[in-house]
Structures are given as structure tokens and as C-alpha cells.
């Protein structure tokens, strides 16, 4: 029988386990892989369950009783893990198998074979965690690592050093570019010159079902069993297999010594997952082929070994039994890739792969972010690369979801009832034009002057209570901060803060502490915490001592330099030289978001100067049909209100938040979000028990409201006021919690009213008026009002005004907000303003809930500046030579810095078309 069985077994057949029941007296064909996966055999008779369980029991025990038994301590051995390791060895055609706590734990065990002075040859397209570990070994353990292009087998030859080369580490296919290496040929080349070198293969992308590298000359194979072997992303595990007894003994010793063996429960879960490995991967790779074919047909550079044009297809088919379920593609633009990833619904945004659910990611931002960007570029890893990990969902649903994401992101359009890729796809220079239109980049001049603005903000409901988890309702205020960035071209950068001690300061750009800076490249995110090294360097080497500068100007200048040095990523010759003048119609320090408006102006000006955000394209003009079949075109103007695309606003918001961190330490992000996006939003702080979803939500149907903002000119001590409420809550928790619950109800009512498009204007104003009075009464009971605020309330509520007023912000001074009905007589309003001024208050009539961040359009068609030169006294003269220099731009700098504050907003509006979020 043994001879007949051997005759039927080819080199590539897998072993058939001996059944527990008596065998029939005839030769049996080897079991197929899926049968082997589903059939878990006992490692030996001693492991047979006494109760005959059909599933391997979980031996959830740290210790085992008795002396001299097979098991004594689960770190050293556990029956559930023994079943698992036996099963993995069986399906992998291996003599030995080990299960550890993760794929990286498996690689750590393997690399402990190395000694100082050893050399390792590795691929140049490896998993990010593998690179991280190899870097550690190189810098701390004296191991030399050579990265080579393993798609060319002969590339390893120059680095083979007999007596030194101890390990060759391969991936095939690689992650995430799906490169293929010839495992068999590389193994032969290495063994021929360095017979003691160990060939190690990361087989995670394939699993034992599709590829078994031990059959092609590898010495050790490891998988992150978190991926396909488990298949459900409900555990972390790694497996190691080998045939050599000496290697098995070394690795077994390490696993027992360091204690990273897989737990009994995770061993049970992994054993269960492996049973469905074959059937899962069949479905996954079938769908992956459909996805790859679709992307390839659309013209995207698609990496998948199953495509006919893949350079490693022939090699892969020789060493593997399938193409796998991971693929990647390039879009040509990182921001477009980000929009595609964000637009999917079925494809979950996550690192890792191998799950029954489909996943999408950008490796350079996620799984491979730990690799230095310069190294990524040198190894040909595109920043715009998108990786797709296909699950077991219905193929039609996955294709439909991806197609719609491509469409929503502007990567494809519809033509003749089919998806067609847009040529020269949307990049950082342009936004998507109307479907079917050519994409035109409007070049931005190197020395463009940028005029930006941002509104203030007011908290309408929920002040103070927001600190304790109550929802706050905030809205933009149409009192604005303005920033004008004018080119200098003299190697200097400067700032003028007219409203903060009239500070002027300039720096020689090359003298700034660039050695302490780590500029954030476009598309990369700023870390959660500030770069303290850079802050310390700026404070020590670029700024005078705080006492030598006007109050509040020191941190404002610090935030400017921090953003400038973090965003100027192009190197010494490309750092922009400009002067930034900041002016505000907002009262500074009155609780109306003046710092957030400042941060937004600074962030947007520096982003524009560094060409990290771009202007939207000039829209097509209205035109009549020109011929039969030509429908013409209608342009609907929004007067610039919806001109700035969301992804530009989001970039500005991210960096405005960083500026707020520099200014305030730990801001909530509410102020800058309202300032950038405009309108109104509701914010609930996480970690409290009022039953509301934490985070920020835009109030979509918010209608602009008229308010009178009154600055009491009484300085606020926000920290003291917040601490006072906290102390009161500690003393009288029931009373304060009752007040907080009442304020939460007010915020809920206000939010519903503001977002209800069918609520009449009259009913809305009546409801808000009552809620304002109610909210203020609760805040006063918390002790955060002030006699100046109460006097403002008394004046606005008196006859004939009868208006509702409340404190806003921290209270204790600062500003009060008064709702002004639509039908309130202008004569009465002027009388009220006069009465307030008579008592030394500063009133501002403004609208709430308007546009957010904006900038003056640079298009000549949108500017009121006449083509010519500005003469003395502001008159305009024609060019000196007719026909030349017909579009000379006039700087706004002198006018901007001299215009009165009362005239600033009107003057700015008259400069041309403003573009807003």
C-alpha cells in the first residue's frame, strides 16, 4: 500500500494524514488542500479527546498538574496550540510549525538567529513593519542590511558574502506593489555561494493554500496569521514553518524564552479560521481579478500578478497556485487618491488585509508611513498608491462601490453609459470642472499677493456646560480677520500684527533654526502632538523674550513661525519670502474667536505661499448654442460663496488647528472649524454621560441671523471661571448636574429649531429669544456672569427694545450677544447702540452663520484693479510703453495697512470677488 501511495504522490502533492478510524485495504488518493484544512487530526494518540469532541477543546489553563507530563506551563506548551501547530505543519508540507502572538513576533523570533556582524539581503518593497525591525537591527545590533530589487534574481549576487551573509529575506508577491521574485532561483543562487545562509520568505500575501515556499528552496517561511489564515481580523497571530531540525530547535528555544507563543484561546480561533481558508480565498481572488481587470481597463496603473501585462506573471504562475486577493493601483495624484479612499462605502479604510471584509488603504499614509519618505521615493513606492484587499462580499457590490467612489472623487466620468477615466486627472492645481470639460490648470505666479479673511465665532448656547459634556451650538460671526501676504523677494519673512500691540517683526529666512525643523510634506498629517524641539528652537533662537514684546504677540509670532517652518517643505531655495499683515474688525480677547480667525488667516496664507492649496478654476462662462446639437452652457453664479472646495477647506482647518494648539495648548477644535467652514455646528465633548454622540456636526439648514455683539471691555479670566464651575460641581454635584441637564435641553431645542427648514422665521426668532434668556439664567446661576454683562442685558431688555441677551464664551466679562429680529426698527437699533456706547461698551451689528474662510480671487476678471500703474495719491496711469506690461498688478499692502478699521470690511469687499467655503 505504501508503494502504491508513493506512486500516486507527485512532488507537489500534500501529505494525507492517517485517519483515526481503520483504513480500507486499498490505496487512497491524497486529500486535496481544502479537505486538509477542514480536517483537524490529533498530533498523536495522547491528544485524542476523551469525550470525542468534534472540535479541538480550548485548554484555557496557565499550568498543568503533575510531574513529568507533556505539559506543565502554557508558555512552554499547550494542547490547543499543539493541535494548531500540527495542523499548520500538515497543510504547509512542513516538519515543524510554531504559532506566536503576531506576524512581527514571528519575524522577531526568526531574526534572533542573527548575530552582530551578520549581513542580511532583503527586498526593496517590504512591509513597513519589516523595514522598521530591519532598521532597528542595523542601528542597534550591528547587523548589515542590503536592500535589493528581488524581481531580478541576480541582484543578490553582488551582496553574497560567504561567512557573512546569514539571511536572505524575501516577499513574493511584495506588499504593496505586488512584485514577484523567483524564490526557487534566488534560493539556488544563494545556496551555491553561501550554503549556510538561511532563506526566509514572508508568505502572508499568499498563505499555504496558494504558495508553499519550502517546496522551492526556502528554509523558513512565516505568515501573519492575522490575515488569511484567520480570515476574520478577530485575533493577532503569526506562524513559522520549517523542515530543518536545527532551526526548529533554535526558534523553539526563543519562543519559550521570550514567552510570545500564541494563547490557547487565540489558537482555537486560528484553528477554526484555517478550516475555511480555501473556500474564502477562492472567492476573494476571483473577485480580485474582476477588480484588477476593471481598473486596468480604465487606464490606471494596476499591480496584480493575474493581469497579462504584469512583468512577473510567468514566474508567479510557476511557483504559486493562484494570484491572491490583494492588488494596488496608482491614480497619479495623492489628493485624488485620498478622495477615492474616502468616497468608498463597502471598502473599509484600514491597514492589514486578508479579512472576509474588503479593505482599502493608502500604504504611504498608513501601513508604510514608518518608512522615511525619501526612502519610499528611492524604492519607487508612489505616494498616490491605493491598496485594495478584497473580501468575500458580492463582486457586483464591490465593483459598484469602487466605481462610484472613482466617480465621486473625479477620477472617472460617465460616457455612453460606461465609466471613462478623466485624462490628466485632477491634481493639486485644479478642481474638477463640469463633466466632459477639459481640465485646465490656472498657473499661480511665484510672487502672487494673497488676500485672505476669516470670520469670528460666537457660542450661541452651551457655554461652560460644554466643558462637562453638554452640547454647544456655535456659529460664525461676520466680523472678520484679514491677512495680506505680499511678496518680499529679499530672503526675509515678516509679520505685522496691527491689533496686537502693533507688532512688526522680520526674520532672515536662512537664519531661522531649520536644523530643528521637520517640515511636513504635502499630503502628510501633522503628528498629534506639537514638535517641541522646533518650538524650543524658535523660542530660543528666533524670538525675543516675551517681556520684550507686546502682550499676546509673543505666542502669535510663535504660531506664525511654527507653521511657516513646518509647511515650507521644498528646501532652502524654495522657501517663500513674504510679508504677512494681519488686521481684524473683531475685538481681540472678547471671546469671539479672534485667535481662531488669526490662525486661519496665517494657515491659509502660508499654505497659498507654499502652493500647497490652489485656487479653483475659473468657471466656464454662459454661452448660447453655436450650432445644431450644441446645447450651449449656462453658468450659475453664487457670487463666490461656494467657490472653495471642501478638501481645500479641510487642509486649512487642519493647520489652523495646529496654530490653535500653539496658542492655547489643548483646544477643542470648535473655534477653528466654525471659522473655516462658516455656518453653524454643534459640538459635544467626548467622555461624558449626557447621551449625545461626541464630536462636531454641521447644522445644515442654518439660516443667517442678525445679532448685536457688545464688548463689555472687561478682561476675562477663562481658566478661573472654568475652575470655579468645576469647584461648584464638586461641592454641589446634584445642583450643578441639574443645571447642566437643563442647558443640554436648551442646546437640543436650539439645534432642532435652527436645522428645521419648515419652521417659520417668526417662530424661529421667538423660540431663540426665549432660549437665550433661559440659557443666560442658568449660566448666571453657575456664577459666570458679570455686572457689566447684566447691565448690557438690562439696557437691551428695556423699553422700547425688549431684546434677549446672554453672555457668550467664558463670561465674567468679554462679550454679550443680543438677538435682533428681522423687523426691528433701524432707528431703535441706533438708539440702543448710542445708549451702550454712552456706558463705554463697544457694540457691533453683525450677522451670524455666514460664510467661512475666504480669499480674494486672483483672476483679473474678478479684480477691480485697473490694468496699469498706480500713480501718486492712488491715481492710475497707463503703461509707459503702449502694448507692453498691460496687466501690471497693484499691491494692496499700503492701502491695507492704512485703512481705518471701520472702513476695512467695506474696502476689502470692494477689491473684487471673494471666494468662500
Amino acid at each position: 500500500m505504501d508503494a502504491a501511495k508513493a506512486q500516486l504522490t507527485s512532488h507537489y502533492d500534500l501529505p494525507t494524514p492517517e485517519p483515526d478510524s481503520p483504513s480500507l485495504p486499498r490505496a487512497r488518493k491524497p486529500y486535496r488542500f481544502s479537505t486538509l484544512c477542514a480536517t483537524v487530526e490529533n498530533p498523536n494518540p495522547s491528544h485524542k479527546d476523551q469525550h470525542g469532541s468534534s472540535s479541538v477543546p480550548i485548554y484555557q489553563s496557565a499550568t498543568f498538574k503533575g510531574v513529568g507530563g507533556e505539559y506543565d506551563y502554557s508558555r512552554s506548551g499547550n494542547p490547543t496550540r499543539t493541535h494548531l501547530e500540527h495542523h499548520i505543519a500538515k497543510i504547509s508540507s512542513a516538519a515543524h510549525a510554531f504559532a506566536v502572538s503576531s506576524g512581527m513576533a514571528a519575524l522577531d523570533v526568526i531574526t534572533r538567529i542573527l548575530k552582530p556582524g551578520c549581513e542580511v539581503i532583503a527586498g526593496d518593497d517590504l512591509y513597513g513593519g519589516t523595514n522598521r525591525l530591519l532598521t532597528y537591527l542595523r542601528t542597534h545590533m550591528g547587523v548589515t542590511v542590503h536592500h535589493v530589487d528581488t524581481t531580478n534574481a541576480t541582484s543578490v549576487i553582488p551582496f553574497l558574502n560567504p561567512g557573512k551573509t546569514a539571511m536572505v529575506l524575501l516577499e513574493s508577491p511584495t506588499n504593496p506593489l505586488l512584485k514577484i521574485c523567483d524564490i526557487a532561483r534566488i534560493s539556488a543562487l544563494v545556496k551555491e555561494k553561501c550554503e549556510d545562509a538561511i532563506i526566509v520568505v514572508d508568505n502572508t500575501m499568499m498563505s499555504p493554500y496558494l504558495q508553499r515556499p519550502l517546496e522551492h528552496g526556502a528554509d523558513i517561511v512565516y505568515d501573519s496569521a492575522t490575515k488569511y489564515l484567520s480570515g476574520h481580523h478577530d485575533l493577532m497571530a503569526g506562524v513559522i514553518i520549517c523542515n530543518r531540525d536545527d532551526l526548529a530547535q533554535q526558534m523553539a528555544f526563543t519562543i519559550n524564552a521570550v514567552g510570545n507563543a500564541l494563547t490557547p484561546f487565540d489558537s482555537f480561533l486560528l484553528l477554526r479560521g484555517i478550516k475555511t481558508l480555501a473556500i474564502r480565498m477562492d472567492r476573494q481572488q476571483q473577485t480580485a481579478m474582476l477588480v484588477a481587470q476593471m481598473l486596468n481597463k480604465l487606464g490606471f496603473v494596476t499591480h496584480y500578478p493575474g493581469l497579462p501585462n504584469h512583468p512577473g506573471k510567468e514566474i508567479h504562475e510557476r511557483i504559486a497556485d493562484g494570484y491572491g486577493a490583494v492588488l494596488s493601483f496608482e491614480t497619479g495624484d495623492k489628493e485624488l487618491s485620498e478622495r477615492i479612499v474616502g468616497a468608498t462605502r463597502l471598502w473599509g479604510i484600514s491597514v492589514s488585509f486578508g479579512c472576509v471584509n474588503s479593505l482599502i488603504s493608502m500604504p504611504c499614509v498608513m501601513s508604510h508611513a514608518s518608512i522615511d519618505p525619501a526612502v519610499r521615493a528611492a524604492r519607487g513606492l508612489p505616494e498616490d498608491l491605493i491598496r485594495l484587499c478584497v473580501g468575500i462580499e458580492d463582486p457586483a457590490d464591490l465593483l459598484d462601490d469602487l466605481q462610484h467612489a472613482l466617480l465621486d472623487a473625479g477620477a472617472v466620468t460617465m460616457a455612453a453609459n460606461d465609466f471613462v477615466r478623466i485624462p490628466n486627472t485632477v491634481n493639486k492645481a485644479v478642481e474638477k470642472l463640469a463633466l466632459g470639460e477639459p481640465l485646465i490648470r490656472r498657473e499661480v505666479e511665484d510672487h502672487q499677493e494673497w488676500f485672505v479673511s476669516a470670520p469670528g465665532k460666537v457660542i450661541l448656547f452651551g457655554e461652560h456646560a460644554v466643558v462637562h459634556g453638554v452640547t454647544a451650538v456655535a456659529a460664525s460671526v461676520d466680523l472678520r480677520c484679514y491677512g495680506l501676504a505680499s511678496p518680499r523677494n529679499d530672503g526675509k519673512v515678516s509679520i505685522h500684527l496691527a491689533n496686537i500691540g502693533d507688532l512688526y517683526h522680520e526674520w532672515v529666512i536662512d537664519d531661522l533654526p531649520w536644523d530643528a525643523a521637520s517640515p511636513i510634506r504635502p499630503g502628510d498629517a501633522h503628528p498629534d502632538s506639537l514638535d517641541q524641539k522646533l518650538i524650543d528652537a524658535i523660542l530660543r533662537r528666533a524670538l525675543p523674550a516675551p517681556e520684550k514684546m507686546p502682550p499676546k504677540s509673543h505666542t502669535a509670532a510663535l504660531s506664525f513661525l511654527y507653521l511657516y517652518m513646518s509647511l515650507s517643505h521644498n528646501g532652502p531655495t524654495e522657501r517663500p519670502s513674504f510679508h504677512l499683515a494681519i488686521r481684524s474688525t473683531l475685538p481681540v480677547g472678547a471671546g469671539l474667536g479672534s485667535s481662531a480667525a488669526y490662525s486661519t488667516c496665517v494657515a491659509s496664507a502660508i499654505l497659498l505661499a507654499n502652493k500647497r492649496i490652489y485656487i479653483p478654476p475659473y468657471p466656464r462662462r454662459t454661452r448660447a448654442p453655436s450650432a445644431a446639437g450644441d446645447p450651449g452652457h449656462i453658468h450659475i453664479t453664487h457670487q463666490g460663496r461656494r467657490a472653495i472646495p471642501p478638501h481645500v477647506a479641510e487642509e486649512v482647518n487642519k493647520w489652523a488647528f495646529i496654530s490653535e494648539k500653539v496658542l492655547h495648548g489643548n483646544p477643542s477644535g470648535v473655534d477653528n472649524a466654525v471659522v473655516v467652514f462658516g455656518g453653524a455646528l454643534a459640538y459635544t465633548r467626548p467622555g461624558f454621560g449626557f447621551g449625545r454622540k461626541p464630536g462636531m456636526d454641521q447644522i445644515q439648514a442654518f439660516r443667517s441671523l442678525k445679532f448685536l455683539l457688545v464688548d463689555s471691555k472687561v478682561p476675562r479670566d477663562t481658566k478661573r471661571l472654568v475652575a470655579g464651575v468645576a469647584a461648584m460641581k464638586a461641592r454641589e454635584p446634584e445642583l450643578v448636574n441639574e443645571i447642566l441637564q437643563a442647558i443640554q435641553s436648551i442646546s437640543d431645542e436650539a439645534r432642532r429649531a435652527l436645522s428645521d427648514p419648515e419652521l417659520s422665521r417668526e417662530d424661529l426668532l421667538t423660540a431663540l429669544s426665549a432660549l437665550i434668556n433661559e440659557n443666560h439664567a442658568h449660566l448666571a446661576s453657575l456664577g459666570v456672569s458679570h455686572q457689566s454683562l447684566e447691565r448690557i442685558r438690562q439696557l437691551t431688555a428695556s423699553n422700547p427694545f425688549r431684546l434677549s441677551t446672554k453672555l457668550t464664551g467664558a463670561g465674567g466679562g468679554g462679550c454679550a450677544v443680543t438677538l435682533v429680529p428681522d423687523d426691528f426698527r433701524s432707528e431703535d437699533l441706533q438708539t440702543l447702540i448710542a445708549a451702550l456706547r454712552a456706558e463705554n461698551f463697544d457694540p457691533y451689528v453683525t450677522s451670524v452663520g455666514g460664510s467661512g474662510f475666504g480669499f480674494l480671487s486672483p483672476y483679473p476678471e474678478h479684480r477691480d484693479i485697473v490694468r496699469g500703474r498706480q500713480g501718486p495719491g492712488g491715481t492710475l496711469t497707463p503703461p509707459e510703453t503702449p502694448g507692453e506690461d498691460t496687466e501690471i498688478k497693484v499691491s494692496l499692502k499700503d492701502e491695507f495697512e492704512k485703512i481705518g478699521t471701520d472702513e476695512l470690511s467695506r474696502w476689502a469687499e470692494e477689491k473684487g470677488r471673494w471666494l468662500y467655503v
Side-chain angles (χ1 to χ4, degrees):
M1 182 178 112
D2 290 341
K5 183 174 178 179
Q7 199 171 18
L8 290 167
T9 304
S10 69
H11 176 69
Y12 294 104
D13 284 327
L14 297 172
T16 302
E18 292 298 326
D20 291 339
S21 55
S23 176
L24 295 175
R26 63 183 178 84
R28 298 287 297 272
K29 289 184 177 180
Y31 292 156
R32 274 62 171 181
F33 190 91
S34 57
T35 305
L36 292 175
C37 283
T39 308
V40 179
E41 301 290 334
N42 289 314
N44 55 58
S46 68
H47 283 77
K48 188 169 184 177
D49 180 58
Q50 60 179 321
H51 302 292
S53 62
S54 58
S55 180
V56 175
I58 306 172
Y59 289 86
Q60 193 66 41
S61 179
T63 59
F64 298 86
K65 296 177 181 179
V67 178
E70 186 171 351
Y71 302 101
D72 57 3
Y73 193 49
S74 278
R75 173 166 56 80
S76 304
N78 180 280
T80 310
R81 187 163 67 243
T82 299
H83 273 89
L84 169 65
E85 291 171 341
H86 176 265
H87 194 57
I88 291 169
K90 180 186 71 176
I91 66 172
S92 304
S93 302
H96 307 281
F98 304 98
V100 293
S101 56
S102 71
M104 287 308 304
L107 182 57
D108 178 59
V109 168
I110 295 166
T111 56
R112 287 176 188 256
I113 295 171
L114 300 171
K115 296 178 176 60
C118 287
E119 295 185 7
V120 174
I121 301 173
D124 61 358
D125 179 29
L126 298 172
Y127 168 56
T130 302
N131 271 285
R132 188 186 303 116
L133 181 57
L134 291 176
T135 300
Y136 180 87
L137 292 173
R138 184 178 67 245
T139 56
H140 293 86
M141 304 301 294
V143 173
T144 301
V145 181
H146 305 287
H147 289 280
V148 302
D149 178 9
T150 52
T151 60
N152 176 11
T154 59
S155 65
V156 303
I157 295 176
F159 299 96
L160 292 173
N161 188 354
K164 287 284 191 180
T165 302
M167 186 176 292
V168 177
L169 181 57
L170 306 173
E171 285 185 26
S172 187
T174 62
N175 175 18
L177 289 175
L178 284 297
K179 295 179 181 178
I180 305 300
C181 71
D182 192 336
I183 298 172
R185 188 170 181 215
I186 291 177
S187 297
L189 289 172
V190 171
K191 294 296 184 181
E192 182 179 339
K193 193 170 182 180
C194 300
E195 60 180 3
D196 293 331
I198 300 167
I199 310 296
V200 179
V201 178
D202 179 351
N203 198 43
T204 304
M205 294 275 276
M206 290 281 100
S207 86
Y209 179 40
L210 299 182
Q211 185 170 269
R212 291 169 294 281
L214 291 182
E215 298 172 355
H216 302 288
D219 297 299
I220 300 174
V221 178
Y222 73 99
D223 284 51
S224 171
T226 309
K227 316 299 195 289
Y228 289 114
L229 287 172
S230 164
H232 295 79
H233 280 188
D234 53 7
L235 67 94
M236 299 285 291
V239 300
I240 308 168
I241 59 169
C242 68
N243 283 327
R244 284 174 47 179
D245 294 342
D246 59 327
L247 295 176
Q249 288 173 2
Q250 291 183 66
M251 291 186 292
F253 173 83
T254 299
I255 292 168
N256 184 44
V258 303
N260 61 359
L262 197 61
T263 67
F265 185 70
D266 285 340
S267 296
F268 167 80
L269 287 177
L270 182 53
L271 195 57
R272 184 178 66 171
I274 290 173
K275 293 178 182 179
T276 60
L277 171 63
I279 195 168
R280 281 187 282 106
M281 291 214 71
D282 282 342
R283 174 62 168 265
Q284 288 170 293
Q285 65 176 344
Q286 287 170 7
T287 305
M289 178 64 83
L290 297 175
V291 174
Q293 289 171 341
M294 180 197 78
L295 292 169
N296 191 55
K297 179 183 175 183
L298 286 170
F300 294 103
V301 176
T302 307
H303 306 278
Y304 186 64
L307 292 175
N309 58 357
H310 192 285
K313 187 172 190 290
E314 183 274 328
I315 294 173
H316 184 75
E317 289 177 341
R318 177 157 42 84
I319 63 175
D321 297 329
Y323 304 116
V326 176
L327 64 145
S328 59
F329 69 102
E330 301 172 36
T331 67
D333 183 86
K334 186 175 182 180
E335 291 183 358
L336 175 61
S337 296
E338 289 173 348
R339 295 200 295 276
I340 293 170
V341 171
T344 58
R345 295 295 177 266
L346 271 180
W347 300 79
I349 303 174
S350 179
V351 295
S352 197
F353 56 89
C355 182
V356 292
N357 303 109
S358 296
L359 302 176
I360 188 169
S361 67
M362 291 183 64
C364 290
V365 179
M366 301 169 73
S367 58
H368 291 62
S370 61
I371 303 174
D372 185 86
V375 176
R376 293 199 300 259
R379 295 180 186 172
L381 186 58
E383 297 290 315
D384 62 295
L385 189 74
I386 296 176
R387 188 182 72 181
L388 298 173
C389 310
V390 182
I392 65 170
E393 301 93 340
D394 191 287
D397 292 332
L398 289 174
L399 290 169
D400 180 71
D401 187 58
L402 186 56
Q403 287 168 338
H404 278 86
L406 294 169
L407 184 65
D408 292 345
V412 300
T413 185
M414 287 293 293
N417 294 320
D418 198 4
F419 292 95
V420 178
R421 187 181 179 192
I422 297 177
N424 302 320
T425 190
V426 182
N427 57 35
K428 294 176 184 174
V430 297
E431 263 298 297
K432 183 176 60 177
L433 296 180
L435 294 178
E437 291 297 311
L439 292 168
I440 305 169
R441 171 172 175 153
R442 188 76 174 240
E443 293 292 344
V444 178
E445 296 183 9
D446 285 336
H447 307 300
Q448 175 73 47
E449 183 174 62
W450 293 106
F451 193 12
V452 300
S453 81
K457 77 92 184 65
V458 61
I459 296 181
L460 298 177
F461 301 98
E463 299 92 335
H464 275 285
V466 68
V467 176
H468 302 277
V470 169
T471 302
V473 176
S476 61
V477 173
D478 207 21
L479 297 171
R480 304 183 75 87
C481 178
Y482 295 89
L484 183 68
S486 306
R488 286 188 59 125
N489 307 315
D490 61 354
K492 294 181 180 180
V493 64
S494 56
I495 190 167
H496 180 202
L497 306 178
N499 298 88
I500 310 180
D502 202 31
L503 172 77
Y504 175 86
H505 204 93
E506 66 179 36
W507 299 267
V508 176
I509 294 173
D510 289 344
D511 290 347
L512 290 171
W514 294 103
D515 56 308
S518 300
I520 309 297
R521 300 185 65 81
D524 291 346
H526 188 286
D528 290 338
S529 57
L530 296 175
D531 185 345
Q532 195 58 48
K533 178 183 176 184
L534 177 57
I535 288 178
D536 292 342
I538 293 172
L539 292 174
R540 194 170 58 251
R541 295 155 55 187
L543 285 177
E547 59 270 15
K548 295 182 179 180
M549 299 177 70
K552 300 183 181 179
S553 65
H554 189 264
T555 53
L558 173 62
S559 72
F560 169 74
L561 285 180
Y562 185 90
L563 261 63
Y564 178 80
M565 297 183 70
S566 297
L567 287 167
S568 300
H569 66 282
N570 284 325
T573 61
E574 299 294 327
R575 293 165 184 156
S577 172
F578 63 90
H579 170 70
L580 179 61
I582 300 285
R583 295 192 60 190
S584 180
T585 61
L586 277 164
V588 176
L592 294 178
S594 57
S595 74
Y598 165 79
S599 292
T600 300
C601 287
V602 167
S604 57
I606 296 174
L607 285 164
L608 286 164
N610 280 283
K611 298 184 181 181
R612 293 177 66 133
I613 56 174
Y614 288 83
I615 59 174
Y618 191 79
R620 287 187 66 202
R621 301 290 83 191
T622 297
R623 64 175 181 81
S626 60
D630 177 14
H633 178 69
I634 180 71
H635 168 63
I636 302 171
T637 180
H638 296 278
Q639 301 299 317
R641 289 187 303 274
R642 297 175 179 269
I644 298 178
H647 73 275
V648 171
E650 287 163 6
E651 185 71 9
V652 172
N653 187 46
K654 285 191 297 186
W655 285 100
F657 181 60
I658 298 301
S659 175
E660 286 285 89
K661 279 190 170 185
V662 177
L663 292 171
H664 302 298
N666 187 28
S668 67
V670 175
D671 288 13
N672 53 274
V674 174
V675 165
V676 171
F677 293 100
L681 59 78
Y683 170 73
T684 305
R685 190 178 180 187
F688 292 86
F690 285 94
R692 304 302 187 275
K693 179 183 175 183
M696 285 183 261
D697 290 313
Q698 200 83 15
I699 300 177
Q700 297 295 340
F702 189 91
R703 290 164 281 177
S704 183
L705 300 167
K706 189 175 182 179
F707 273 84
L708 181 66
L709 304 181
V710 185
D711 185 1
S712 70
K713 297 199 283 190
V714 175
R716 303 168 305 143
D717 187 343
T718 302
K719 290 183 179 179
R720 181 184 63 80
L721 292 162
V722 171
V725 174
M728 183 178 175
K729 185 179 179 183
R731 291 193 312 269
E732 304 176 80
E734 292 185 6
L735 172 63
V736 173
N737 281 325
E738 185 178 340
I739 295 171
L740 296 178
Q741 289 283 6
I743 296 176
Q744 178 67 65
S745 297
I746 292 170
S747 293
D748 291 342
E749 293 283 0
R751 185 176 180 182
R752 284 193 292 269
L754 291 167
S755 60
D756 185 354
E758 297 182 11
L759 186 67
S760 71
R761 183 75 173 181
E762 181 181 357
D763 289 345
L764 172 65
L765 293 171
T766 300
L768 292 178
S769 179
L771 291 172
I772 284 171
N773 288 327
E774 184 182 346
N775 196 176
H776 182 86
H778 290 305
L779 291 171
S781 68
L782 290 174
V784 296
S785 187
H786 187 271
Q787 61 186 18
S788 63
L789 299 174
E790 295 302 324
R791 179 54 183 159
I792 294 169
R793 273 178 50 81
Q794 186 180 17
L795 286 171
T796 56
S798 64
N799 287 326
F801 314 120
R802 297 178 182 174
L803 300 179
S804 297
T805 301
K806 64 180 285 294
L807 66 84
T808 186
C815 268
V817 293
T818 301
L819 179 64
V820 180
D822 298 338
D823 57 358
F824 193 73
R825 295 174 57 214
S826 59
E827 297 88 346
D828 289 341
L829 183 58
Q830 292 306 315
T831 302
L832 176 57
I833 289 172
L836 290 164
R837 284 176 175 162
E839 299 204 19
N840 201 32
F841 300 128
D842 283 345
Y844 303 83
V845 179
T846 186
S847 60
V848 168
S851 297
F853 147 72
F855 55 81
L856 185 64
S857 171
Y859 294 131
E861 300 92 332
H862 285 160
R863 302 294 281 269
D864 77 329
I865 300 173
V866 180
R867 282 67 168 168
R869 285 197 175 89
Q870 192 167 3
T875 59
L876 294 163
T877 59
E880 294 175 0
T881 305
E884 293 182 8
D885 200 17
T886 56
E887 287 196 4
I888 297 177
K889 294 185 177 179
V890 180
S891 172
L892 301 174
K893 179 177 179 295
D894 291 342
E895 279 189 89
F896 176 69
E897 299 205 6
K898 292 176 182 177
I899 194 79
T901 301
D902 292 342
E903 302 174 78
L904 180 56
S905 293
R906 178 191 55 78
W907 174 83
E909 287 298 320
E910 290 175 351
K911 294 300 103 180
R913 172 68 55 79
W914 281 81
L915 309 179
Y916 294 106
V917 177

